[in-house]
Amino acid sequence: MDTASMGAHADVRTAPRALATEAVHAGRDDLARQGLHAPPIDLSTTYPSYDSRGEAARIDAFAATGAEPDGPPVYGRLGNPTVARFETALARLEGTGAAVAFASGMAALSAVLLVRASMGLRHVVAVRPLYGCSDHLLTAGLLGSEVTWTDPAGIAEALRPDTGLVIVESPANPTLAEVGLRAVAHACGSVPLLVDNTFATPVLQRPAEQGARLVLHSATKYLGGHGDVLAGVIACDEEFAGRLRQVRFATGGVLHPLAGYLLLRGLSTLPVRVRAASANAAELARRLAADPRVAHVHYPRIGGAMVSFEIHGDPHEVIAGVRLITPAVSLGSVDTLIQHPASISHRIVDADDRRGAGVSDRLLRMSVGLEDVEDLWSDLDGALGRPLGGAANCATSHSKPAPADAQLPLRR
């Protein structure tokens, strides 16, 4: 049984290492000492203990602080060695003190809201657009939260004494709008800022370095990277992580060990996958920007593998016309996916709110994969069909502001 990794957050090297190196080695630093090369998978749901007094003391300590128990594991809902390895690795990549994994991204966000609500801080300030289900969770008040929607400039004014959280997504789903995270973090004051970093990944952006206290990932996407794992994770400081672990234990939103194993394996190739897919995406964005069938292209200043574009024709015809590209929800896999947000990912958002956030009915969102870019363009070109009469070339937008050192892969 692999018990060494239960203390994996402390079992890391302190010397700085490049992101690509961390992606390969973080969470695996103890393997050689165990005579192992590949990380083991611990599928146990429970663990034997002949020291019931000691086990009781460790459970009491967890109940008080949410800190990971010292010694062998206790129960699968409290923690798992394989999942702990992934948490260690993700924390290292995001530059935070800890990370807590959940069964999905929505379970992770729900846990954050429950932590703040337990402290009497139910008010949330949020910037649209967000992922559609995140928007719905806040708007519907399903967990007792109350939300104030604002633009980045209005965050400070929207704060109240009972504000427990500020939420932004940058680049945002599905318009790829970006916000200045450092300025937003400053506007939050003492209120924790949560940044959904799913689209950027730590390869392109590390929000904690810009003042965010909480970094959310739908790990289903780029962190896993192969469309075969469902997971979520919050990277944060150890104090907040302890509270998240307590909520996870109480609510049962735990990550399965096999998913933890697949995520750790996915992280090892994350920098390579993101950079290769981003190169494909930038090239497709350039071609779309020059195409008279396309009205507008959205592509982030920080780059990335996501492209959104509005067309002059019927977006449903494009969805029906692709053959190599897969028409499906989700994103971040090695293969290219396309979907119509107004029909799928953001259907749950009120139509006026959706359009007000820039999610038009003609917008398509494409998660670009690792196929040859010429094959992708050939498929997309065929699905777009013939140009409409009188259609003009599109404009290409970047969200503002851009980082001072941003490499702009696509310019006007």
Side-chain angles (χ1 to χ4, degrees):
M1 180 177 64
D2 171 32
T3 59
S5 62
M6 290 303 289
H9 288 296
D11 187 26
V12 294
R13 301 184 182 187
T14 56
R17 302 190 292 199
L19 182 81
T21 303
E22 289 289 15
V24 172
H25 291 280
R28 304 168 178 83
D29 290 317
D30 63 321
L31 292 181
R33 294 196 302 273
Q34 298 188 59
L36 300 172
H37 182 242
I41 306 175
D42 188 330
L43 296 173
S44 297
T45 57
T46 191
Y47 301 86
S49 173
Y50 295 94
D51 180 10
S52 57
R53 292 187 182 88
E55 190 166 82
R58 293 193 296 131
I59 292 174
D60 286 346
F62 176 83
T65 67
E68 293 178 306
D70 294 328
V74 177
Y75 182 56
R77 187 153 48 85
L78 194 149
N80 173 271
T82 307
V83 172
R85 289 185 178 280
F86 163 66
E87 293 172 330
T88 296
L90 193 277
R92 292 285 287 183
L93 291 180
E94 283 289 3
T96 60
V100 183
F102 294 85
S104 70
M106 291 307 301
L109 177 58
S110 296
V112 172
L113 295 173
L114 289 172
V115 166
R116 301 306 280 168
S118 71
M119 303 170 69
L121 302 170
R122 296 181 177 275
H123 180 242
V124 176
V125 175
V127 176
R128 279 189 172 118
L130 292 178
Y131 168 53
C133 287
S134 299
D135 188 308
H136 177 67
L137 180 67
L138 296 172
T139 302
L142 296 176
L143 296 178
S145 57
E146 177 189 351
V147 63
T148 297
W149 295 101
T150 186
D151 59 32
I155 288 175
E157 185 177 347
L159 299 178
R160 306 187 325 205
D162 64 337
T163 302
L165 196 66
V166 175
I167 301 178
V168 301
E169 184 175 7
S170 182
N173 187 351
T175 66
L176 306 179
E178 296 169 277
V179 300
L181 295 182
R182 197 175 300 279
V184 167
H186 179 75
C188 292
S190 61
V191 177
L193 170 63
L194 181 149
V195 176
D196 188 329
N197 203 34
T198 299
F199 278 18
T201 81
V203 177
L204 301 177
Q205 173 178 273
R206 288 160 50 116
E209 295 178 349
Q210 300 182 57
R213 186 177 180 189
L214 306 165
V215 183
L216 167 68
H217 286 274
S218 172
T220 307
K221 301 350 187 245
Y222 289 103
L223 303 190
H226 293 76
D228 55 7
V229 60
L230 192 69
V233 64
I234 300 289
C236 57
D237 56 69
E238 176 56 35
E239 179 185 358
F240 207 102
R243 293 183 176 273
L244 288 173
R245 293 187 197 106
Q246 290 174 322
V247 168
R248 182 178 65 181
F249 176 73
T251 61
V254 296
L255 183 66
H256 191 275
L258 180 58
Y261 172 84
L262 291 172
L263 287 166
L264 184 64
R265 187 175 68 170
L267 288 184
S268 64
T269 60
L270 178 67
V272 177
R273 288 187 286 104
V274 168
R275 288 166 183 151
S278 297
N280 276 350
E283 177 59 23
L284 292 177
R286 288 188 183 94
R287 297 187 188 192
L288 288 166
D291 196 300
R293 297 166 294 184
V294 178
H296 208 84
V297 176
H298 306 268
Y299 188 70
R301 288 181 180 267
I302 64 170
M306 299 299 299
V307 179
S308 292
F309 56 100
E310 299 166 57
I311 67 170
H312 293 293
D314 185 350
H316 300 285
E317 292 298 320
V318 177
I319 296 294
V322 293
R323 294 296 179 265
L324 175 65
I325 298 169
T326 302
V329 298
S330 199
L331 56 109
S333 185
V334 291
D335 61 320
T336 299
L337 308 178
I338 192 169
Q339 64 116 335
H340 182 237
S343 295
I344 308 294
S345 64
H346 288 70
R347 188 69 177 179
I348 201 168
V349 179
D350 177 82
D352 289 338
D353 291 337
R354 188 171 67 230
R355 295 182 187 114
V359 186
S360 78
D361 291 342
R362 293 186 182 273
L363 182 73
L364 291 164
R365 190 196 74 185
M366 186 165 58
S367 169
V368 182
L370 303 181
E371 301 96 337
D372 187 278
V373 72
E374 296 299 336
D375 290 329
L376 290 173
W377 177 249
S378 176
D379 191 43
L380 196 57
D381 180 47
L384 284 168
R386 294 181 179 179
L388 296 175
N393 282 358
C394 70
T396 303
S397 71
H398 292 295
S399 56
K400 298 180 180 180
D405 60 348
Q407 298 296 314
L408 304 187
L410 183 64
R411 299 180 186 271
R412 289 185 186 277

